[in-house]
Amino acid sequence: MLNVMVQVNTSYEEGKSGCCPEESLDISQHIVENCGNLKLTGLMAIGKFGHDYSTGPNPDFLALSKCRDIVQKLLRRPLELSMGMSDDYLQAIRAGSNSVRVGTAIFGPRGQ
């Protein structure tokens, strides 16, 4: 059994992969019902870079949390959130993230 997360493009940026938030339930349901070797463990997203946190929480984090709440309720299973990177992991944790990616903070920028 392989644990998987559905990547959601909460910022609708063309340069990012993932389904749009409106598709997250259907894709999650497909995995649960049709992919016996996969275990859906949560949803993940990379929020738009450069959010000004003085204006409030990152709307991409809020959108992913909302998607998770809907999917979790309808599929009747707990799901994790993976959101936040080196620059915004604290805000992501405050928004409910269970998993963050902090490679840049540990190893430095790519290509150096």
Side-chain angles (χ1 to χ4, degrees):
M1 184 80 59
L2 180 65
N3 292 337
V4 297
M5 292 186 152
V6 171
Q7 183 170 332
V8 183
N9 185 348
T10 53
S11 61
Y12 296 91
E13 293 176 86
E14 288 185 26
K16 291 185 179 172
S17 297
C19 68
C20 65
E22 298 80 15
E23 298 171 323
S24 62
L25 175 60
D26 289 340
I27 292 171
S28 297
Q29 190 167 16
H30 177 82
I31 292 168
V32 169
E33 293 177 357
N34 299 297
C35 302
N37 292 321
L38 301 179
K39 178 183 178 187
L40 179 66
T41 60
L43 304 179
M44 62 179 286
I46 299 174
K48 194 176 224 178
F49 294 112
H51 176 70
D52 179 2
Y53 285 97
S54 69
T55 65
N58 188 320
D60 295 319
F61 295 165
L62 298 177
L64 189 66
S65 183
K66 182 179 177 182
C67 288
R68 190 265 318 259
D69 292 346
I70 292 168
V71 173
Q72 204 170 236
K73 181 179 179 182
L74 294 173
L75 295 182
R76 296 186 183 117
R77 63 175 53 216
L79 296 173
E80 295 184 359
L81 288 176
S82 176
M83 53 189 187
M85 297 174 68
S86 293
D87 291 336
D88 58 4
Y89 71 92
L90 289 174
Q91 292 84 3
I93 291 168
R94 288 186 192 113
S97 185
N98 304 94
S99 179
V100 295
R101 296 171 301 283
V102 293
T104 300
I106 297 169
F107 301 109
R110 290 183 187 183
Q112 293 188 357

